Amino acid sequence: MKKTVLITGTSSGFGAAVAHFFAEKGWNVIATMRDTHKAGDLRNSDNVLITKLDVQDAVTIESAIAAGIERFGRIDVVVNNAGYGLFGIFESASREAIQTQFDVNVFGAMDVTRAILPHFRANHAGTIINISSGAGAIGFPMASIYSASKFALEGFSEGLRYELASLGIRVKIIEPGGAMQTGFMARVGGESTGLQLIEDYLPFLGKIGKVYGGMQEAADPDAVEKVVAAIFEAATDGTDRLRYTPTNDILPILNARRSSSEEAYQLFTNSLFVSQNE
Ligand code: NAP
């Protein structure tokens, strides 16, 4: 029997690419997005249902899940991909802008998860794949709010995993690197962020901009393909593995975080973000 995946945020980037990939692999795909006019050539596949889902709107979450079950009979995998990055100096971000970041990246994923769980429990099966980030494991300068949201998503996923294991439901975390070869960059610092310029930070911003420029040059050129492959692996490998780190650009810093002492980790990250900044 064909399997079915529901993906949030398929209007662009990883979400669109992963929707195409699952469809090409013969899966039924519930490709959800805020604005279904952005579906593009996802419309050309018979096994793709395009439906509205705004993770900030519970009614659309329920209706997308119901439409998917009505069309394909069941849902096997949910990919919580919808998200964006509120990048900038913490002090310059309003409470409202921070709240919206958490509404989408954290509460949105939680609301989709809560809505699908009765169906997964009834099936005694299901996989939830949460798209985190390298910034879900380490705090990046200029990304303290985004990192906080992805740390929250990781803590949620890790704790939830234990609750669901005995019910036959798996939880997975994907940690893409900072390649930003999607629509992600265009949204960073966009109108939704509401950031105000504080001049005292300008020298810091100039220096850290150069550090990020170097990191982008070192990013995996095929990051999107690698992330898509990791999401498909997480959906199909039948293991209880929790984390997938598909891009090489993020590995040195993740290894420093997870395989060395706190002191060594801090020395390493200082060499990236502090020394070059003095
Ligand atoms: P993207 O091209 O900007 O895609 C983001 C998607 O999320 C879009 O489809 C967007 O829809 C959707 N979205 C935003 N707010 C939403 C809401 N309230 N409800 C439903 N959908 C919403 O960027 P991307 O890189 O593919 O991002 C996908 C995920 O990967 C995000 O969770 C991001 O944090 C994560 N990530 C990206 C990178 C990277 O370097 N690209 C690295 C690490 C992690 P609209 O078109 O309607 O705005």
Side-chain angles (χ1 to χ4, degrees):
M1 204 175 125
K2 268 189 171 186
K3 297 222 168 198
T4 301
V5 60
L6 181 148
I7 308 160
T8 64
T10 58
S11 67
S12 69
F14 296 144
V18 86
H20 279 288
F21 191 85
F22 272 91
E24 281 154 20
K25 291 282 181 188
W27 281 54
N28 298 319
V29 177
I30 307 160
T32 77
M33 58 196 83
R34 290 194 288 192
D35 176 0
T36 53
H37 293 105
K38 293 186 182 175
D41 55 5
L42 275 173
R43 290 199 182 282
N44 303 337
S45 302
D46 290 340
N47 52 334
V48 176
L49 170 68
I50 292 152
T51 188
K52 180 180 169 74
L53 192 161
D54 180 337
V55 300
Q56 292 177 270
D57 179 350
V59 173
T60 66
I61 295 173
E62 292 290 348
S63 63
I65 290 173
I69 294 171
E70 190 184 333
R71 167 84 177 264
F72 299 122
R74 67 182 264 156
I75 297 172
D76 301 283
V77 176
V78 164
V79 182
N80 282 312
N81 165 73
Y84 72 95
L86 173 57
F87 279 37
I89 293 294
F90 163 75
E91 192 187 342
S92 67
S94 67
R95 190 180 196 289
E96 191 186 15
I98 297 169
Q99 184 87 52
T100 308
Q101 173 79 117
F102 275 75
D103 277 345
V104 175
N105 290 9
V106 184
F107 298 119
M110 286 181 175
D111 287 346
V112 172
T113 300
R114 189 190 300 103
I116 196 64
L117 281 178
H119 181 69
F120 281 0
R121 278 191 291 108
N123 295 341
H124 204 79
T127 302
I128 296 159
I129 302 174
N130 292 333
I131 310 304
S132 175
S133 167
I138 50 190
F140 280 95
M142 300 266 302
S144 62
I145 300 159
Y146 178 64
S147 275
S149 76
K150 293 295 188 181
F151 270 51
L153 183 66
E154 294 232 1
F156 165 61
S157 308
E158 215 172 295
L160 181 71
R161 171 174 175 258
Y162 301 111
E163 294 178 23
L164 300 180
S166 65
L167 303 175
I169 303 165
R170 296 193 172 104
V171 180
K172 309 272 187 173
I173 297 169
I174 312 290
E175 293 173 331
M180 298 180 181
Q181 293 149 5
T182 60
F184 190 87
M185 255 330 254
R187 290 170 220 268
V188 166
E191 82 285 350
S192 61
T193 60
L195 298 177
Q196 306 298 320
L197 179 67
I198 301 175
E199 291 201 354
D200 283 351
Y201 290 100
L202 279 177
F204 167 78
L205 289 175
K207 286 170 187 165
I208 215 70
K210 284 185 197 142
V211 175
Y212 275 133
M215 287 173 87
Q216 268 196 276
E217 274 170 31
D220 292 30
D222 52 354
V224 175
E225 289 80 0
K226 285 177 171 169
V227 171
V228 166
I231 294 171
F232 191 74
E233 185 186 354
T236 55
D237 66 8
T239 72
D240 69 351
R241 177 177 168 192
L242 177 62
R243 285 192 172 80
Y244 299 72
T245 51
T247 61
N248 294 324
D249 51 6
I250 207 72
L251 285 182
I253 206 162
L254 282 183
N255 288 340
R257 169 77 281 177
R258 292 178 175 147
S259 312
S260 61
S261 66
E262 182 69 17
E263 192 183 15
Y265 167 69
Q266 202 176 319
L267 271 175
F268 181 67
T269 51
N270 278 356
S271 75
L272 293 177
F273 299 128
V274 182
S275 324
Q276 296 188 46
N277 191 23
E278 281 165 353

